[in-house]
Amino acid sequence: MAVEFFKPLVSDIKAMQELVKDEVETGTILLRTEDEMATTIRSYTAVNVDGVMAGFCALHIHSPKLAEIRSLVVSGEHRGQKLGKYLVEHCLTEAKRLGLKEILSLTYQRKFFEELNFVEIPKESLPEHKIWADCIRCKHFPVCDEIALLYKL
């Protein structure tokens, strides 16, 4: 099995949207349009397994101190191979290199992030611009049962 982590190109957006389609439909992951993904393509890290995209996530910077791991997805056939863990670790390494101090995750996968040393925080402590830019677009808003977790670098 050949595994390659890489920074995707705008030409990868269609494959990325196809990979995340089921999670968007269930409301597990927020829909990102092609234009949104294009303007933030530099924030993504992806993984290919045997030449096929198997997952990706984004490190979205909110401020000079805070970023967020978002849109984390691994294809069904590649789950259980620690690709999600490695994607998050790639983002944490990038965040450290950029000089960020805290990494946020808003997720339904508490245990996954806690195993990576993220700690639960009150959702009320989320930056207001996060709520109005992203959460308000969610099909579950305002009744959110996601967990907010924070990783300190």
Side-chain angles (χ1 to χ4, degrees):
M1 178 170 77
V3 177
E4 173 201 14
F5 292 88
F6 65 100
K7 296 303 266 184
L9 305 173
V10 292
S11 59
D12 294 313
I13 291 173
K14 292 284 188 200
M16 293 167 75
Q17 287 180 318
E18 185 60 31
L19 187 62
V20 78
K21 184 174 77 171
D22 291 342
E23 284 76 11
V24 168
E25 287 176 11
T26 63
T28 305
I29 294 180
L30 192 62
L31 172 68
R32 305 281 177 205
T33 67
E34 188 174 0
D35 287 347
E36 284 176 291
M37 291 181 81
T39 62
T40 59
I41 195 69
R42 290 174 291 201
S43 69
Y44 289 94
T45 297
V47 59
N48 278 344
V49 174
D50 296 330
V52 177
M53 187 178 297
F56 65 88
C57 71
L59 178 69
H60 181 77
I61 298 172
H62 287 287
S63 73
K65 178 182 173 184
L66 177 70
E68 177 185 5
I69 300 281
R70 67 185 195 184
S71 302
L72 173 61
V73 65
V74 174
S75 68
E77 68 231 46
H78 292 100
R79 290 185 183 160
Q81 299 174 354
K82 300 196 183 290
L83 296 177
K85 175 185 181 216
Y86 299 140
L87 282 165
V88 171
E89 288 173 346
H90 269 78
C91 287
L92 294 176
T93 298
E94 183 177 8
K96 187 174 185 177
R97 182 184 62 76
L98 292 170
L100 295 160
K101 303 297 181 204
E102 297 177 329
I103 310 301
L104 168 71
S105 177
L106 194 58
T107 183
Y108 294 105
Q109 304 299 323
R110 175 200 309 246
K111 185 178 178 208
F112 171 83
F113 281 95
E114 285 177 340
E115 288 174 357
L116 292 169
N117 298 314
F118 282 71
V119 176
E120 186 175 351
I121 60 170
K123 281 193 278 192
E124 298 76 35
S125 67
L126 293 176
E128 193 172 294
H129 63 271
K130 166 68 179 163
I131 302 301
W132 295 113
D134 288 331
C135 297
I136 200 163
R137 296 175 34 212
C138 178
K139 65 170 45 178
H140 302 293
F141 186 80
V143 182
C144 176
D145 55 352
E146 284 189 306
I147 307 297
L149 297 115
L150 193 68
Y151 183 95
K152 293 194 180 229
L153 292 167

PDB file of all heavy atoms in Angstrom, residues 65-83:
ATOM      1  N   LYS A  65      -3.329  33.434  16.504  1.00  0.00           N
ATOM      2  CA  LYS A  65      -3.162  32.458  17.581  1.00  0.00           C
ATOM      3  C   LYS A  65      -3.926  31.155  17.325  1.00  0.00           C
ATOM      4  O   LYS A  65      -3.472  30.080  17.703  1.00  0.00           O
ATOM      5  CB  LYS A  65      -3.661  33.085  18.888  1.00  0.00           C
ATOM      6  CG  LYS A  65      -3.608  32.191  20.085  1.00  0.00           C
ATOM      7  CD  LYS A  65      -4.167  32.914  21.314  1.00  0.00           C
ATOM      8  CE  LYS A  65      -4.282  31.963  22.481  1.00  0.00           C
ATOM      9  NZ  LYS A  65      -4.885  32.575  23.645  1.00  0.00           N
ATOM     10  N   LEU A  66      -5.082  31.234  16.667  1.00  0.00           N
ATOM     11  CA  LEU A  66      -6.023  30.118  16.605  1.00  0.00           C
ATOM     12  C   LEU A  66      -6.300  29.644  15.177  1.00  0.00           C
ATOM     13  O   LEU A  66      -6.554  30.450  14.287  1.00  0.00           O
ATOM     14  CB  LEU A  66      -7.351  30.552  17.240  1.00  0.00           C
ATOM     15  CG  LEU A  66      -8.491  29.542  17.217  1.00  0.00           C
ATOM     16  CD1 LEU A  66      -8.211  28.380  18.159  1.00  0.00           C
ATOM     17  CD2 LEU A  66      -9.804  30.225  17.589  1.00  0.00           C
ATOM     18  N   ALA A  67      -6.283  28.311  15.013  1.00  0.00           N
ATOM     19  CA  ALA A  67      -6.699  27.687  13.754  1.00  0.00           C
ATOM     20  C   ALA A  67      -7.672  26.558  14.090  1.00  0.00           C
ATOM     21  O   ALA A  67      -7.850  26.205  15.256  1.00  0.00           O
ATOM     22  CB  ALA A  67      -5.504  27.145  12.987  1.00  0.00           C
ATOM     23  N   GLU A  68      -8.274  26.011  13.055  1.00  0.00           N
ATOM     24  CA  GLU A  68      -9.258  24.947  13.234  1.00  0.00           C
ATOM     25  C   GLU A  68      -8.979  23.804  12.276  1.00  0.00           C
ATOM     26  O   GLU A  68      -8.700  24.026  11.102  1.00  0.00           O
ATOM     27  CB  GLU A  68     -10.657  25.511  12.956  1.00  0.00           C
ATOM     28  CG  GLU A  68     -11.760  24.497  13.032  1.00  0.00           C
ATOM     29  CD  GLU A  68     -13.115  25.063  12.627  1.00  0.00           C
ATOM     30  OE1 GLU A  68     -13.192  26.230  12.192  1.00  0.00           O
ATOM     31  OE2 GLU A  68     -14.097  24.314  12.734  1.00  0.00           O
ATOM     32  N   ILE A  69      -9.053  22.580  12.784  1.00  0.00           N
ATOM     33  CA  ILE A  69      -9.053  21.398  11.933  1.00  0.00           C
ATOM     34  C   ILE A  69     -10.504  21.215  11.501  1.00  0.00           C
ATOM     35  O   ILE A  69     -11.394  21.088  12.330  1.00  0.00           O
ATOM     36  CB  ILE A  69      -8.610  20.137  12.706  1.00  0.00           C
ATOM     37  CG1 ILE A  69      -7.202  20.273  13.277  1.00  0.00           C
ATOM     38  CG2 ILE A  69      -8.776  18.888  11.831  1.00  0.00           C
ATOM     39  CD1 ILE A  69      -6.086  20.069  12.313  1.00  0.00           C
ATOM     40  N   ARG A  70     -10.749  21.221  10.198  1.00  0.00           N
ATOM     41  CA  ARG A  70     -12.117  21.056   9.727  1.00  0.00           C
ATOM     42  C   ARG A  70     -12.154  20.233   8.448  1.00  0.00           C
ATOM     43  O   ARG A  70     -11.125  20.021   7.800  1.00  0.00           O
ATOM     44  CB  ARG A  70     -12.818  22.391   9.553  1.00  0.00           C
ATOM     45  CG  ARG A  70     -12.300  23.284   8.464  1.00  0.00           C
ATOM     46  CD  ARG A  70     -13.045  24.603   8.531  1.00  0.00           C
ATOM     47  NE  ARG A  70     -12.863  25.392   7.336  1.00  0.00           N
ATOM     48  CZ  ARG A  70     -13.333  26.603   7.176  1.00  0.00           C
ATOM     49  NH1 ARG A  70     -14.032  27.182   8.128  1.00  0.00           N
ATOM     50  NH2 ARG A  70     -13.144  27.266   6.067  1.00  0.00           N
ATOM     51  N   SER A  71     -13.362  19.769   8.134  1.00  0.00           N
ATOM     52  CA  SER A  71     -13.601  18.978   6.923  1.00  0.00           C
ATOM     53  C   SER A  71     -12.755  17.710   6.874  1.00  0.00           C
ATOM     54  O   SER A  71     -12.356  17.273   5.799  1.00  0.00           O
ATOM     55  CB  SER A  71     -13.364  19.818   5.658  1.00  0.00           C
ATOM     56  OG  SER A  71     -14.197  20.947   5.646  1.00  0.00           O
ATOM     57  N   LEU A  72     -12.505  17.096   8.018  1.00  0.00           N
ATOM     58  CA  LEU A  72     -11.726  15.854   8.063  1.00  0.00           C
ATOM     59  C   LEU A  72     -12.586  14.696   7.576  1.00  0.00           C
ATOM     60  O   LEU A  72     -13.658  14.435   8.118  1.00  0.00           O
ATOM     61  CB  LEU A  72     -11.248  15.589   9.492  1.00  0.00           C
ATOM     62  CG  LEU A  72     -10.559  14.250   9.741  1.00  0.00           C
ATOM     63  CD1 LEU A  72      -9.289  14.120   8.901  1.00  0.00           C
ATOM     64  CD2 LEU A  72     -10.226  14.107  11.224  1.00  0.00           C
ATOM     65  N   VAL A  73     -12.103  14.021   6.551  1.00  0.00           N
ATOM     66  CA  VAL A  73     -12.825  12.871   6.005  1.00  0.00           C
ATOM     67  C   VAL A  73     -11.828  11.839   5.483  1.00  0.00           C
ATOM     68  O   VAL A  73     -10.782  12.198   4.941  1.00  0.00           O
ATOM     69  CB  VAL A  73     -13.811  13.295   4.885  1.00  0.00           C
ATOM     70  CG1 VAL A  73     -13.089  13.844   3.684  1.00  0.00           C
ATOM     71  CG2 VAL A  73     -14.735  12.162   4.514  1.00  0.00           C
ATOM     72  N   VAL A  74     -12.171  10.573   5.699  1.00  0.00           N
ATOM     73  CA  VAL A  74     -11.432   9.450   5.126  1.00  0.00           C
ATOM     74  C   VAL A  74     -12.474   8.545   4.483  1.00  0.00           C
ATOM     75  O   VAL A  74     -13.533   8.290   5.068  1.00  0.00           O
ATOM     76  CB  VAL A  74     -10.621   8.686   6.207  1.00  0.00           C
ATOM     77  CG1 VAL A  74      -9.982   7.432   5.617  1.00  0.00           C
ATOM     78  CG2 VAL A  74      -9.555   9.590   6.824  1.00  0.00           C
ATOM     79  N   SER A  75     -12.192   8.068   3.285  1.00  0.00           N
ATOM     80  CA  SER A  75     -13.145   7.211   2.578  1.00  0.00           C
ATOM     81  C   SER A  75     -13.432   5.958   3.394  1.00  0.00           C
ATOM     82  O   SER A  75     -12.580   5.480   4.147  1.00  0.00           O
ATOM     83  CB  SER A  75     -12.610   6.832   1.193  1.00  0.00           C
ATOM     84  OG  SER A  75     -11.481   5.984   1.331  1.00  0.00           O
ATOM     85  N   GLY A  76     -14.640   5.435   3.241  1.00  0.00           N
ATOM     86  CA  GLY A  76     -15.065   4.262   3.988  1.00  0.00           C
ATOM     87  C   GLY A  76     -14.107   3.091   3.872  1.00  0.00           C
ATOM     88  O   GLY A  76     -13.815   2.420   4.858  1.00  0.00           O
ATOM     89  N   GLU A  77     -13.605   2.850   2.680  1.00  0.00           N
ATOM     90  CA  GLU A  77     -12.718   1.699   2.484  1.00  0.00           C
ATOM     91  C   GLU A  77     -11.337   1.874   3.106  1.00  0.00           C
ATOM     92  O   GLU A  77     -10.593   0.902   3.231  1.00  0.00           O
ATOM     93  CB  GLU A  77     -12.586   1.350   1.002  1.00  0.00           C
ATOM     94  CG  GLU A  77     -11.840   2.406   0.203  1.00  0.00           C
ATOM     95  CD  GLU A  77     -12.592   2.834  -1.034  1.00  0.00           C
ATOM     96  OE1 GLU A  77     -13.794   3.090  -0.931  1.00  0.00           O
ATOM     97  OE2 GLU A  77     -11.954   2.918  -2.086  1.00  0.00           O
ATOM     98  N   HIS A  78     -11.000   3.114   3.508  1.00  0.00           N
ATOM     99  CA  HIS A  78      -9.677   3.355   4.098  1.00  0.00           C
ATOM    100  C   HIS A  78      -9.739   3.702   5.581  1.00  0.00           C
ATOM    101  O   HIS A  78      -8.716   4.029   6.185  1.00  0.00           O
ATOM    102  CB  HIS A  78      -8.954   4.452   3.315  1.00  0.00           C
ATOM    103  CG  HIS A  78      -8.590   4.011   1.941  1.00  0.00           C
ATOM    104  ND1 HIS A  78      -9.336   4.365   0.830  1.00  0.00           N
ATOM    105  CD2 HIS A  78      -7.611   3.206   1.492  1.00  0.00           C
ATOM    106  CE1 HIS A  78      -8.802   3.814  -0.235  1.00  0.00           C
ATOM    107  NE2 HIS A  78      -7.761   3.103   0.127  1.00  0.00           N
ATOM    108  N   ARG A  79     -10.921   3.639   6.169  1.00  0.00           N
ATOM    109  CA  ARG A  79     -11.022   3.900   7.605  1.00  0.00           C
ATOM    110  C   ARG A  79     -10.387   2.753   8.375  1.00  0.00           C
ATOM    111  O   ARG A  79     -10.335   1.624   7.911  1.00  0.00           O
ATOM    112  CB  ARG A  79     -12.481   4.098   7.999  1.00  0.00           C
ATOM    113  CG  ARG A  79     -12.994   5.411   7.424  1.00  0.00           C
ATOM    114  CD  ARG A  79     -14.378   5.768   7.845  1.00  0.00           C
ATOM    115  NE  ARG A  79     -14.742   7.002   7.149  1.00  0.00           N
ATOM    116  CZ  ARG A  79     -15.956   7.413   6.978  1.00  0.00           C
ATOM    117  NH1 ARG A  79     -16.975   6.726   7.482  1.00  0.00           N
ATOM    118  NH2 ARG A  79     -16.203   8.526   6.329  1.00  0.00           N
ATOM    119  N   GLY A  80      -9.884   3.076   9.551  1.00  0.00           N
ATOM    120  CA  GLY A  80      -9.227   2.068  10.376  1.00  0.00           C
ATOM    121  C   GLY A  80      -7.750   1.895  10.059  1.00  0.00           C
ATOM    122  O   GLY A  80      -7.088   1.039  10.631  1.00  0.00           O
ATOM    123  N   GLN A  81      -7.216   2.718   9.164  1.00  0.00           N
ATOM    124  CA  GLN A  81      -5.798   2.633   8.780  1.00  0.00           C
ATOM    125  C   GLN A  81      -4.986   3.795   9.346  1.00  0.00           C
ATOM    126  O   GLN A  81      -3.864   4.028   8.931  1.00  0.00           O
ATOM    127  CB  GLN A  81      -5.674   2.599   7.251  1.00  0.00           C
ATOM    128  CG  GLN A  81      -6.358   1.404   6.625  1.00  0.00           C
ATOM    129  CD  GLN A  81      -6.365   1.461   5.100  1.00  0.00           C
ATOM    130  OE1 GLN A  81      -5.962   2.439   4.479  1.00  0.00           O
ATOM    131  NE2 GLN A  81      -6.841   0.388   4.491  1.00  0.00           N
ATOM    132  N   LYS A  82      -5.583   4.556  10.262  1.00  0.00           N
ATOM    133  CA  LYS A  82      -4.950   5.694  10.937  1.00  0.00           C
ATOM    134  C   LYS A  82      -4.681   6.880  10.003  1.00  0.00           C
ATOM    135  O   LYS A  82      -3.921   7.783  10.335  1.00  0.00           O
ATOM    136  CB  LYS A  82      -3.669   5.281  11.661  1.00  0.00           C
ATOM    137  CG  LYS A  82      -3.918   4.231  12.734  1.00  0.00           C
ATOM    138  CD  LYS A  82      -2.762   4.127  13.679  1.00  0.00           C
ATOM    139  CE  LYS A  82      -2.948   3.048  14.691  1.00  0.00           C
ATOM    140  NZ  LYS A  82      -3.944   3.274  15.692  1.00  0.00           N
ATOM    141  N   LEU A  83      -5.327   6.917   8.843  1.00  0.00           N
ATOM    142  CA  LEU A  83      -5.121   8.030   7.921  1.00  0.00           C
ATOM    143  C   LEU A  83      -5.653   9.334   8.504  1.00  0.00           C
ATOM    144  O   LEU A  83      -5.043  10.387   8.329  1.00  0.00           O
ATOM    145  CB  LEU A  83      -5.769   7.740   6.567  1.00  0.00           C
ATOM    146  CG  LEU A  83      -5.184   6.554   5.789  1.00  0.00           C
ATOM    147  CD1 LEU A  83      -5.967   6.333   4.507  1.00  0.00           C
ATOM    148  CD2 LEU A  83      -3.708   6.757   5.515  1.00  0.00           C
TER     149      LEU A  83
END
